């Protein structure tokens, strides 16, 4: 018996998998066959591969996100979090942004919570670190970096200047290498407008515990990427880690110590910890354990995919798992959507199998690396051509025609207009100035001696 008048398909998470799975289900579903409900704390999906370009100002931040209600007009979109799931009763507890939590019955469940930043108990990291998992962090990083240039240009204190112009990035994978490449590019351009700041005054540091960067594109291209960053004046320290960063004083395991106002953490991701409250079978690293059909092991009405799932990689062989990237997430979402429809109608499930098509990475304007796979042949590109491949691939993978056009327009305008270098740091506290103007006179201000003109007026 259904828990509602119509069967409910509950999609937990509105990221890449959640969005595409919901779209696929709605496309394949007959009219009135089921209700599709998507629950996410944000009302939009973020295309994370474009976060470094958004942080550098090459793409408008609003063009990197896709509004769920606009793209899924036939779905029920709830802004909140699923805190727990009762599998016996087929009920999820939803905590909205405001108000009391409530129970939501479902018949079929899609788990697409994605991943969060993988952090370690490093002293000072929580207080000083900046992540790169959401558009808010990308905007914040851009404003923060430009604010540091403002500080350095306006002070004569050498210690303040040095700390403001030192930028530390931890993590040399795609997120770290792309972000430091884009941000260094932006800072180099911005320095032209600061009379007291030159690129030589800035210090960019990239740290990684592995013995190489960009492992996704292979050792040769990874080595080229490393040498390219070093030629741009970026210090790269491999096989080391950060011990602490209390008050911006960064201490590395190799003994290096620097003071920095900017510490960007991109050292990998981990499955969303909320999965532990769902009562699902989890793998050794916290991922939902799924069959090749994307069904959760031991269940015929729950599916999972993307960064929060441990999906067997049938194209590689036994014991291999699909890596957490957009390439797999997009294709898994489509298979998952088809399998949910098949599950509702009592048809067999389809197994997910996809051979790796390669990887692309942008390291700033006109700079990048790419490894494209055609059958058994691998084509390796670097420099401007790889950068074109990077933009071409992600431009096509960007969800919705609307967003593709907007991103293309940003890139086209960037060919003719100079990059914007204005910081909108006040946007993080937009009411501060109004509050100061509207609040009562403070005790300190009231006790302050009146100016000579005020004394004369009073007498």
């Amino acid at each position: 018996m259904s828990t509602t008048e119509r069967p409910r398909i509950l999609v937990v998470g509105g990221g890449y998998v959640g969005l595409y799975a919901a779209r696929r289900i709605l496309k394949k579903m007959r009219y009135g066959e089921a209700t599709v409900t998507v629950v996410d704390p944000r009302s939009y999906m973020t295309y994370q591969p474009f976060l470094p370009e958004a942080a550098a100002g090459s793409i408008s931040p609003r063009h990197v996100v896709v509004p769920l209600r606009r793209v899924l007009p036939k779905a029920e979109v709830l802004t909140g979090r699923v805190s727990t799931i009762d599998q016996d009763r087929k009920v999820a507890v939803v905590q909205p942004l405001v108000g009391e939590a409530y129970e939501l019955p479902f018949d079929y469940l899609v788990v697409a919570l994605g991943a969060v930043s993988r952090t370690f108990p490093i002293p000072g990291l929580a207080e000083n670190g900046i992540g790169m998992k959401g558009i808010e962090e990308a905007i914040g990083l851009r404003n923060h970096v430009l604010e540091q240039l403002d500080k350095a240009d306006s002070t004569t204190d050498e210690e303040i200047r040095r700390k403001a112009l030192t930028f530390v990035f931890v993590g040399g994978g795609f997120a770290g290498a792309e972000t430091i490449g884009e941000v260094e590019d932006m800072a180099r351009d911005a320095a032209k407008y600061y009379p007291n700041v030159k690129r030589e005054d800035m210090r960019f540091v990239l740290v990684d515990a592995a013995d190489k960067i960009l492992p996704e594109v292979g050792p040769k291209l990874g080595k080229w990427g490393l040498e390219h960053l070093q030629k741009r004046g970026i210090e790269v320290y491999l096989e080391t880690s950060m011990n602490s960063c209390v008050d911006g004083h960064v201490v590395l395991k190799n003994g290096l110590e620097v003071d920095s106002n900017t510490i960007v953490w991109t050292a990998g991701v981990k499955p969303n910890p909320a999965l532990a409250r769902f009562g699902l079978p989890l793998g050794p690293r916290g991922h939902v354990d799924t069959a090749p059909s994307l069904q959760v092991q031991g269940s015929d009405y729950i599916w999972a995919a993307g960064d929060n799932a441990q999906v067997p990689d049938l194209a590689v062989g036994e014991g291999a798992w699909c890596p957490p990237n957009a390439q797999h997430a997009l294709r898994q979402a489509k298979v998952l959507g088809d399998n949910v429809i098949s599950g509702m109608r009592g048809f067999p499930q389809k197994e997910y199998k996809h051979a790796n098509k390669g990887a692309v990475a942008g390291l700033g304007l006109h700079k990048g690396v790419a490894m494209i796979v055609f059958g058994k042949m691998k084509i390796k590109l670097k420099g401007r051509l790889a950068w074109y491949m990077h933009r071409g691939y992600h431009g096509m993978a960007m969800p919705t025609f609307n967003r593709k056009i907007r991103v293309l327009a940003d890139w086209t305008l960037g060919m003719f207009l100079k990059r914007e270098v204005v910081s909108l740091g006040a946007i993080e506290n937009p009411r501060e100035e109004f509050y100061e103007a509207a609040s009562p006179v403070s005790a300190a201000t009231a006790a302050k001696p009146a100016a000579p003109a005020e004394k004369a007026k009073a007498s």
Side-chain angles (χ1 to χ4, degrees):
M1 181 178 176
S2 172
T3 54
T4 59
E5 293 181 6
R6 293 187 295 182
R8 172 177 275 122
I9 302 168
L10 176 59
V11 181
V12 183
Y16 216 103
V17 170
L19 171 67
Y20 268 100
R23 288 184 76 187
R24 187 76 168 189
I25 293 167
L26 290 166
K27 180 181 179 181
K28 295 294 184 79
M29 195 171 65
R30 302 187 192 103
Y31 177 77
E33 186 175 6
T35 299
V36 177
T37 302
V38 180
V39 182
D40 195 278
R42 293 182 174 86
S43 61
Y44 53 85
M45 169 265 186
T46 302
Y47 189 69
Q48 294 181 351
F50 278 154
L51 290 181
E53 287 203 53
S58 299
I59 301 176
S60 171
R62 282 188 173 84
H63 300 166
V64 178
V65 299
V66 180
L68 296 177
R69 287 183 174 84
R70 180 173 180 174
V71 178
L72 303 172
K74 296 180 181 179
E76 180 183 35
V77 178
L78 304 177
T79 306
R81 300 178 186 273
V82 172
S83 56
T84 58
I85 289 175
D86 187 332
Q87 295 185 46
D88 295 331
R89 297 170 53 219
K90 286 191 175 182
V91 168
V93 176
V94 177
Q95 178 62 62
L97 291 184
V98 293
E100 297 291 329
Y102 57 88
E103 291 188 341
L104 186 70
F106 64 85
D107 297 88
Y108 304 95
L109 179 65
V110 175
V111 181
L113 282 175
V116 299
S117 295
R118 181 186 62 189
T119 58
F120 304 99
I122 298 173
L125 178 60
E127 295 79 10
N128 301 290
I130 302 172
M132 274 295 285
K133 284 290 294 174
I135 190 62
E136 302 86 357
E137 292 170 317
I139 297 171
L141 176 60
R142 171 178 167 75
N143 289 331
H144 175 82
V145 169
L146 293 175
E147 199 173 74
Q148 301 313 302
L149 300 187
D150 290 337
K151 290 179 180 179
D153 188 62
S154 307
T155 183
T156 57
D157 189 313
E158 196 56 39
E159 185 177 340
I160 293 176
R161 274 176 54 85
R162 188 162 48 249
K163 190 172 183 178
L165 296 177
T166 300
F167 309 95
V168 178
F169 292 72
V170 183
F174 266 2
E178 287 189 311
T179 303
I180 196 172
E182 292 284 358
V183 171
E184 190 274 340
D185 232 14
M186 178 190 72
R188 184 187 294 271
D189 281 349
K192 300 172 185 176
Y193 304 99
Y194 292 88
N196 299 317
V197 176
K198 298 185 176 68
R199 170 60 182 92
E200 293 74 24
D201 300 329
M202 304 178 204
R203 186 178 185 183
F204 284 85
V205 178
L206 178 62
V207 182
D208 196 279
D211 60 354
K212 56 182 174 292
I213 67 169
L214 294 169
E216 299 90 344
V217 297
K220 288 187 178 180
L221 287 178
K223 183 180 179 183
W224 183 89
L226 170 64
E227 293 172 349
H228 168 78
L229 294 178
Q230 290 174 327
K231 286 178 182 178
R232 288 164 61 179
I234 297 173
E235 302 173 37
V236 183
Y237 298 97
L238 301 177
E239 298 183 271
T240 192
S241 55
M242 184 171 68
N243 287 343
S244 67
C245 57
V246 177
D247 296 328
H249 182 68
V250 178
V251 179
L252 301 185
K253 192 175 181 180
N254 64 1
L256 178 70
E257 297 187 25
V258 297
D259 288 318
S260 173
N261 288 336
T262 310
I263 301 164
V264 182
W265 182 268
T266 59
V269 296
K270 64 181 180 181
N272 195 309
L275 294 171
R277 301 192 298 271
F278 287 6
L280 303 173
L282 303 180
R285 293 182 297 167
H287 299 79
V288 179
D289 190 15
T290 74
S293 63
L294 304 174
Q295 284 181 309
V296 173
Q297 296 286 4
S299 172
D300 61 357
Y301 66 93
I302 305 176
W303 292 261
D307 293 357
N308 69 180
Q310 181 177 276
V311 180
D313 195 340
L314 299 182
V316 175
E318 188 176 351
W321 310 104
C322 295
N325 57 36
Q327 182 180 155
H328 279 289
L330 170 60
R331 291 167 175 82
Q332 287 174 4
K334 292 180 178 179
V335 174
L336 187 154
D338 290 345
N339 282 349
V340 171
I341 296 293
S342 296
M344 279 200 306
R345 298 174 182 171
F347 296 148
Q349 297 283 293
K350 176 184 176 182
E351 292 187 340
Y352 172 76
K353 183 178 181 180
H354 169 68
N356 179 35
K357 299 298 183 184
V360 291
L363 300 174
L365 204 60
H366 305 146
K367 300 172 277 286
V369 292
M371 188 266 291
I372 313 300
V373 179
F374 287 106
K376 295 183 179 180
M377 182 173 60
K378 293 182 179 180
I379 299 176
K380 299 176 182 179
L381 305 172
K382 53 193 177 185
R384 186 183 288 261
L385 186 56
W387 178 75
Y388 285 135
M389 290 294 298
H390 161 75
R391 283 199 163 182
Y393 173 79
H394 287 299
M396 290 189 294
M398 182 71 194
T400 78
F401 181 74
N402 179 298
R403 286 305 188 260
K404 293 181 198 293
I405 293 298
R406 290 178 185 273
V407 168
L408 180 60
D410 286 340
W411 287 340
T412 303
L413 288 173
M415 296 170 59
F416 304 101
L417 303 176
K418 293 183 179 180
R419 192 198 308 254
E420 288 287 350
V421 293
V422 61
S423 168
L424 297 176
I427 200 171
E428 296 177 20
N429 296 292
R431 293 190 63 253
E432 184 175 354
E433 187 173 340
F434 179 81
Y435 176 78
E436 290 180 359
S439 61
V441 179
S442 66
T445 305
K448 183 179 177 181
E454 292 175 335
K455 289 183 178 179
K457 187 177 180 180
S459 61

